[in-house]
């Protein structure tokens, strides 16, 4: 968070560069991430079965979340999602 705060002082170009570097680091870290939270897969399956929509809220980037879901879906065919749409932060 300190990097985000300090990059604000450097202007738009520095802020964009810092954000890109942090996002790349998050996406790289996904490759060694652990399993989904207990009950997560079951909750997604129940939502899918009942035609409900699911929102994933994270303090990580949308790219990181998409990569995590893609990796976990390829590891375990029973993962109940078929696609991920993302919406950027509102602030």
């Amino acid at each position: 968070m300190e990097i985000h705060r300090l990059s604000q002082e450097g202007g738009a170009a520095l802020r964009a560069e810092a954000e890109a570097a942090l996002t790349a680091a998050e996406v790289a870290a996904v490759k060694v991430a652990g399993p989904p939270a207990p009950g997560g897969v079951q909750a997604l399956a129940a939502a899918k079965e009942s035609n409900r929509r699911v929102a994933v809220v994270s303090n990580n980037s949308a790219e990181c979340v998409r990569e995590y879901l893609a990796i976990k879906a390829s590891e375990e065919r029973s993962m109940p999602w078929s696609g991920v749409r993302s919406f950027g932060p509102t602030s």
Side-chain angles (χ1 to χ4, degrees):
M1 298 312 291
E2 187 68 9
I3 292 171
H4 278 286
R5 187 186 68 74
L6 291 173
S7 69
Q8 301 284 331
E9 298 171 8
L14 179 60
R15 188 171 51 249
E17 189 175 333
E19 185 65 32
L22 291 170
T23 298
E26 282 182 338
V27 171
V30 163
K31 292 172 180 54
V32 296
V41 173
Q42 294 83 356
L44 291 172
K48 184 175 183 176
E49 282 182 29
S50 61
N51 293 317
R52 289 190 169 95
R53 293 177 139 186
V54 174
V56 176
V57 179
S58 175
N59 64 337
N60 295 312
S61 65
E63 293 87 352
C64 178
V65 172
R66 276 193 299 272
E67 182 71 9
Y68 180 83
L69 293 175
I71 287 171
K72 295 305 174 188
S74 70
E75 289 175 355
E76 186 177 332
R77 293 285 176 216
S78 64
M79 291 295 192
W81 51 79
S82 59
V84 177
R85 290 188 327 175
S86 64
F87 302 92
T90 58
S91 59

